[in-house]
């Protein structure tokens, strides 16, 4: 049953007035060569939830360098992490190496039974797939990688955001924001998600198409 709560909205996010809301523990997996917007897009949304406790996870305490050179400092190590309610996995060129990283794959497998949701943006979906956690699930990823999903037993769907039971996946890079907003609506209700979107002024008007013609809806 979802908790009932009163919220106030500010430019910094959503502030809850309830004392009995359950805290959501949300972990964002980081790896060298990730695409930072895959991670920070969803982070920008989910950290604005009134009951979210968000963690940047890595195998050691050193800064994680993204594919384009932005370094992000972890807040918690994988081994320090207890059971999370939600795990978020970004994509990026580093996903190829991460798909063979037993440390991260084992972390995902160990978290899965107790998670409310496993989330992946862009080619992060392939990391979830490599962990064996998308067999039989509908999912999406960056349009350049869609053809790779079926070999892991996943069911590719040409949509920007796909929810299937406890799996939530998004398309490439900027779709992490959409993924976060849909998750926010699922967790806290559409009104809260709409206010987060409004405060972020997320109203994209791209000058050019974001996908090839045969990949558009």
């Amino acid at each position: 049953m979802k908790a009932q709560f009163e919220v106030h909205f500010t430019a910094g996010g959503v502030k809850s007035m309830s004392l009995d809301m359950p805290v959501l523990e949300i972990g964002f997996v980081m790896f060298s060569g990730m695409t930072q917007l895959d991670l920070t897009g969803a982070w920008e949304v989910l950290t604005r939830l009134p009951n979210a406790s968000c963690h940047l996870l890595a195998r050691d305490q050193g800064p994680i360098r993204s594919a384009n050179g932005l370094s992000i400092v972890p807040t918690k190590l994988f081994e320090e992490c207890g059971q999370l309610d939600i795990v978020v996995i970004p994509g990026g060129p580093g996903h190829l190496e991460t798909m063979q990283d037993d440390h991260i794959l084992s972390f995902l497998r160990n978290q899965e039974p107790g998670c409310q949701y496993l989330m992946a943006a862009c080619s992060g979906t392939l990391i979830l797939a490599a962990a064996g956690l998308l067999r039989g699930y509908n999912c999406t990823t960056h349009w350049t990688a869609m053809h790779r999903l079926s070999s892991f037993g996943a069911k590719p769907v040409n949509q920007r955001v796909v929810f299937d039971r406890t799996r939530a996946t998004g398309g490439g890079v900027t779709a992490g924001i959409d993924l976060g907003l849909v998750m926010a609506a699922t967790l806290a209700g559409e009104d809260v998600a709409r206010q987060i979107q409004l405060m972020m002024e997320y109203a994209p008007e791209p000058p050019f198409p974001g996908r090839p013609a045969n990949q558009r809806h």
Side-chain angles (χ1 to χ4, degrees), residues 62-81:
I64 302 297
R65 186 177 174 85
S66 74
N68 289 330
L70 181 66
S71 292
I72 302 177
V73 179
T75 60
K76 185 173 285 192
L77 304 184
F78 291 124
E79 62 207 42
E80 298 172 340
C81 195

Side-chain angles (χ1 to χ4, degrees), residues 9-15 44 47-48 199:
F9 302 98
T10 71
V14 184
K15 305 300 182 185
E44 186 65 35
T47 54
R48 291 170 181 259
M199 289 304 175

Side-chain angles (χ1 to χ4, degrees), residues 87-142:
V87 178
V88 186
I89 307 99
H95 83 275
L96 293 169
E97 183 175 346
T98 307
M99 288 173 70
Q100 303 176 58
D101 186 327
D102 289 336
H103 193 95
I104 290 179
L105 298 184
S106 294
F107 173 79
L108 295 174
R109 294 182 189 119
N110 291 336
Q111 284 287 330
E112 188 273 339
C115 267
Q116 292 185 37
Y117 294 100
L118 293 176
M119 295 174 60
C122 196
S123 52
T125 300
L126 287 161
I127 299 172
L128 268 188
L133 299 174
L134 286 180
R135 293 191 188 98
Y137 285 87
N138 294 323
C139 56
T140 192
T141 186
H142 193 281

Side-chain angles (χ1 to χ4, degrees), residues 150-168:
S150 57
S151 64
F152 294 96
K155 300 177 180 178
V157 179
N158 183 26
Q159 293 179 5
R160 190 157 172 85
V161 175
V162 174
F163 267 60
D164 187 351
R165 292 161 283 172
T166 58
R167 308 296 190 260

